[in-house]
């Protein structure tokens, strides 16, 4: 009976995520109808609650662990608090981005609770800080306008943080990634990437002269080289591609992007010959089964899990995702594919694509070049992080050690993604407020013109009447 219940819920989860994903793109079709959009957003939120409730019902009945009920209540309260607080404080927020943030968090929480209850509980503690970030950042962004002028502060803080990791960071899988303070491990590069975007956008917001471009490139190179020195090559790639995209958007010259891409290829070749852990990852990418007992074990287990799950998955708690090393971080997408199925995993990718499209849409609508470049940079960071993570899991590219935003385990990754979503919401609302202000000004101008027209019309009428009286 329990097996039948798990299988029924498995197909229900696929149905719920398909409905949610369809509405992510259907909402653009009814962009001129606010009432239909509102109904779509409500339907999406119902799907979020259905996915979460159904998944935890399976986790509880397959383990009979009452802790699952407590974790379910905590996570549902968090999701509800996000919706309520945004409804109270931010009527003009992007409902699609808000819903996507919550569905991605929900999926990550479900699979992480299934993998490790203790890690799920630890992740939840960071979520509480994330809730504060989600609420405060849009307010700060709307009320303070000096962010464009803090150019060198972004650079100094970012470089110092990365230098501290290079000198004092703990080694994890061949790279220095984190700093530890009283038992709490922090990965500074997750936060510095946001400072990096603000720095480049601030430098190129007014004019892009050769001198300014050279200074920006030099400082950006320091960021990237510090990441290379700490052997965080995935992070270095993320920063460098983001830099190229922002420079191309600011200058409009494809030669800069192509030159940077060629330089990146040369750097990748050099990195392969300099770092042994990079050679291991490339060997695992080329033929994981040939090095199955060593470097290829993680990728091989990931592919086995994805293949075993097929299109519909094995069902929650029915697979063996814990056989994949570090599955809760870099390879959480494989765990989702194994137990929730390939269709569910593809929907997850489409939801991430929906986020990226909204980020880009907001960037294109912004008139302020600084905020336009910030939105573009954050959109690039987000998209590249998703591509690098999922690409490594499915053996499309070598594994880079990058986490899947809002889904993978990791407090620093979670908080930095909440910051990114909060900034994007703030920029969206700035654009909406300026648009409404412009519309109100236009309406006032129309009213003034109508009044002037009616006055001139009445004057012409009175003159006509006086002329008739004189003739009589």
């Amino acid at each position: 009976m329990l097996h039948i219940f798990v299988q029924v819920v498995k197909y229900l989860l696929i149905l719920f995520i398909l409905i949610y994903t369809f509405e992510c793109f259907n909402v653009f079709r009814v962009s001129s109808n606010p009432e239909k959009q509102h109904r779509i957003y409500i339907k999406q939120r119902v799907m979020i609650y259905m996915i979460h409730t159904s998944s935890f019902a399976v986790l509880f009945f397959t383990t009979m662990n009452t802790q699952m009920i407590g974790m379910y209540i905590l996570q549902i309260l968090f999701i509800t608090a996000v919706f309520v607080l945004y409804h109270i404080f931010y009527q003009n927020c992007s409902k699609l981005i808000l819903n996507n943030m919550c569905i991605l968090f929900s999926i990550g929480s479900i699979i992480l609770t299934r993998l490790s209850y203790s890690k799920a509980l630890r992740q939840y503690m960071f979520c509480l800080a994330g809730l504060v970030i989600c609420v405060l950042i849009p307010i700060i962004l709307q009320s303070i306008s000096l962010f464009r002028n803090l150019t060198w502060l972004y650079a100094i803080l970012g470089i110092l943080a990365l230098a501290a990791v290079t000198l004092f960071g703990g080694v994890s899988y061949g790279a220095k990634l984190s700093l530890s303070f009283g038992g709490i491990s922090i990965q500074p590069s997750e936060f510095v990437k946001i400072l990096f975007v603000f720095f480049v956008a601030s430098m190129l917001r007014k004019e892009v002269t050769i001198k300014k471009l050279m200074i920006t490139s030099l400082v950006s190179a320091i960021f990237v080289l510090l990441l290379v020195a700490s052997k965080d090559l995935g992070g270095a790639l993320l920063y460098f591609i983001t830099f190229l995209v922002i420079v191309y958007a600011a200058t409009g010259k494809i030669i800069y992007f192509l030159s940077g891409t060629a330089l990146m290829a040369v750097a990748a070749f050099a990195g392969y010959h300099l770092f042994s852990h990079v050679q291991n990852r490339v060997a695992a990418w080329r033929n994981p089964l040939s090095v199955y007992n060593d470097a290829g074990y993680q990728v091989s287990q990931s592919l086995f899990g994805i293949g075993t799950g097929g299109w519909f998955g094995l069902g929650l708690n029915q697979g063996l995702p814990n056989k994949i090393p570090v599955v809760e971080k870099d390879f959480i997408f494989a765990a989702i594919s194994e137990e929730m199925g390939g269709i569910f995993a593809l929907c997850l990718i489409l939801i991430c694509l929906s986020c990226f499209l909204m980020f880009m849409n907001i960037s294109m609508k912004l008139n302020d070049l600084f905020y336009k470049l910030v939105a573009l940079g954050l959109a690039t960071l987000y998209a590249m992080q998703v591509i690098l993570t999922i690409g490594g899991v499915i053996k499309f590219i070598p594994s880079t050690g990058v986490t899947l935003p809002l889904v993978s385990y990791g407090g620093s990754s979670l908080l930095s993604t909440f910051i990114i979503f909060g900034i994007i919401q703030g920029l969206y609302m700035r654009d909406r407020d300026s648009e409404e202000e412009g519309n109100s000004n236009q309406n006032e101008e129309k009213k003034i013109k109508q009044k002037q027209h009616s006055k001139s019309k009445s004057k012409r009428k009175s003159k006509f009447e006086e002329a008739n009286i004189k003739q009589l």
Side-chain angles (χ1 to χ4, degrees):
M1 189 66 183
L2 179 60
H3 178 71
I4 295 174
F5 173 71
V6 171
Q7 295 304 307
V8 169
V9 171
K10 177 181 74 175
Y11 290 108
L12 284 176
L13 289 175
I14 292 173
L15 175 63
F16 296 150
I17 197 70
L18 281 171
I19 293 171
Y20 182 93
T21 306
F22 172 76
E23 298 298 356
C24 281
F25 299 92
N26 184 43
V27 72
F28 295 108
R29 189 176 62 85
V30 294
S31 57
S32 59
N33 192 328
E35 290 185 6
K36 286 186 177 180
Q37 282 191 324
H38 179 71
R39 287 198 293 270
I40 286 174
Y41 297 139
I42 295 299
K43 187 190 295 185
Q44 283 188 320
R45 292 180 184 182
V46 171
M47 292 302 104
I48 293 172
Y49 285 108
M50 294 297 288
I51 290 170
H52 212 85
T53 303
S54 303
S55 299
F56 269 88
V58 171
L59 291 177
F60 172 70
F61 286 115
T62 53
T63 61
M64 297 309 293
N65 185 350
T66 54
Q67 288 181 321
M68 296 298 172
I69 299 175
M71 181 59 73
Y72 166 75
I73 293 171
L74 288 174
Q75 292 175 5
I76 284 294
L77 286 175
F78 174 82
I79 294 170
T80 305
V82 172
F83 287 141
V84 170
L85 289 172
Y86 264 76
H87 179 73
I88 293 172
F89 295 107
Y90 305 119
Q91 292 287 332
N92 286 337
C93 73
S94 170
K95 306 299 190 302
L96 181 59
I97 292 178
L98 184 65
N99 288 350
N100 284 352
M101 183 180 76
C102 289
I103 187 70
L104 291 172
F105 164 78
S106 178
I107 293 169
S109 299
I110 290 164
I111 199 68
L112 188 56
T113 305
R114 180 263 178 269
L115 294 171
S116 172
Y117 177 85
S118 61
K119 288 182 178 177
L121 185 60
R122 186 180 177 86
Q123 184 90 329
Y124 185 78
M125 299 304 172
F126 286 98
C127 289
L128 298 178
L131 179 61
V132 177
I133 288 170
C134 285
V135 176
L136 289 182
I137 282 186
I139 296 176
I140 296 170
L141 204 61
Q142 287 179 299
S143 58
I144 300 176
S145 59
L146 54 80
F147 291 106
R148 71 184 74 246
N149 301 320
L150 302 178
T151 310
W152 293 107
L153 181 62
Y154 301 137
I156 293 168
L157 290 177
I159 290 171
L160 287 177
L162 293 181
V165 174
T166 305
L167 295 173
F168 311 110
V171 179
S172 176
Y173 298 96
K176 290 183 177 181
L177 300 175
S178 59
L179 296 172
S180 296
F181 304 95
I184 298 175
S185 182
I186 298 173
Q187 191 170 339
S189 64
E190 289 287 347
F191 303 100
V192 173
K193 66 187 180 185
I194 301 171
L195 294 176
F196 178 73
V197 167
F198 272 79
F199 163 73
V200 178
S202 180
M203 284 291 291
L204 305 179
R205 66 187 171 88
K206 286 185 178 179
E207 56 181 358
V208 188
T209 60
I210 295 297
K211 179 181 178 182
K212 183 167 285 189
L213 191 59
M214 289 181 65
I215 294 172
T216 307
S217 301
L218 181 62
V219 177
S220 299
I222 296 173
F223 278 87
V224 174
L225 290 173
L226 284 171
L227 289 167
V228 172
S230 61
K231 299 183 181 180
D232 183 8
L233 301 187
L237 179 62
L238 199 64
Y239 280 51
F240 191 70
I241 292 176
T242 303
F243 168 74
L244 291 181
V245 171
I246 296 177
V247 168
Y248 173 65
T251 62
K253 296 181 179 179
I254 191 65
I255 186 65
Y256 292 141
F257 188 84
L258 294 177
S259 301
T261 304
L263 182 61
M264 184 172 60
V266 173
F269 180 79
Y272 172 77
H273 289 280
L274 287 174
F275 303 112
S276 59
H277 73 286
V278 176
Q279 295 171 8
N280 292 334
R281 289 181 178 181
V282 172
W285 167 63
R286 293 176 63 185
N287 189 357
L289 292 178
S290 66
V291 286
Y292 177 77
N293 292 323
D294 189 19
Y297 181 78
Q298 188 181 39
V299 177
S300 298
Q301 289 297 326
S302 170
L303 296 176
F304 291 154
I306 294 171
T308 304
W311 286 111
F312 302 102
L314 299 175
L316 280 170
N317 249 352
Q318 305 304 301
L320 298 171
N322 282 312
K323 284 190 172 292
I324 306 171
V326 205
V327 64
E328 69 278 356
K329 290 187 177 180
D330 310 355
F331 281 75
I332 200 165
F333 184 78
I336 293 170
S337 299
E338 180 178 354
E339 297 202 334
M340 295 179 160
I343 295 174
F344 196 100
L346 285 173
C347 287
L348 175 61
I349 294 174
L350 290 173
I351 292 169
C352 293
L353 175 62
S354 171
C355 288
F356 172 69
L357 292 176
M358 275 301 297
F359 288 6
M360 292 299 292
N361 185 43
I362 291 167
S363 174
M364 288 188 291
K365 285 185 176 181
L366 289 167
N367 294 320
D368 189 308
L369 183 58
F370 170 69
Y371 289 117
K372 182 187 286 288
L373 294 177
V374 166
L376 175 66
L378 295 179
T380 305
L381 279 176
Y382 178 80
M384 287 307 304
Q385 201 162 338
V386 172
I387 291 170
L388 292 176
T389 305
I390 297 176
V393 169
I394 63 175
K395 206 180 85 67
F396 180 71
I397 57 174
S399 176
T400 56
V402 177
T403 54
L404 189 59
L406 290 177
V407 181
S408 296
Y409 173 69
S412 298
S413 175
L414 184 73
L415 292 179
S416 68
T417 309
F418 275 134
I419 292 171
I420 289 173
F421 274 75
I423 292 171
I424 292 293
Q425 286 284 17
L427 297 179
Y428 177 83
M429 286 182 277
R430 281 180 68 96
D431 177 61
R432 287 291 299 273
D433 291 343
S434 61
E435 187 178 318
E436 289 178 0
E437 186 179 344
N439 291 335
S440 64
N441 290 336
Q442 287 179 359
N443 292 333
E444 287 179 5
E445 288 177 3
K446 284 181 180 179
K447 288 179 181 179
I448 292 170
K449 288 180 180 179
Q450 286 174 355
K451 286 181 180 180
Q452 289 174 348
H453 179 70
S454 61
K455 284 180 180 179
S456 62
K457 190 175 180 180
S458 61
K459 285 180 179 179
R460 287 197 302 268
K461 186 177 179 181
S462 61
K463 287 180 179 180
F464 179 76
E465 289 175 351
E466 288 176 4
N468 287 338
I469 292 169
K470 287 179 179 178
Q471 288 178 0
L472 292 172

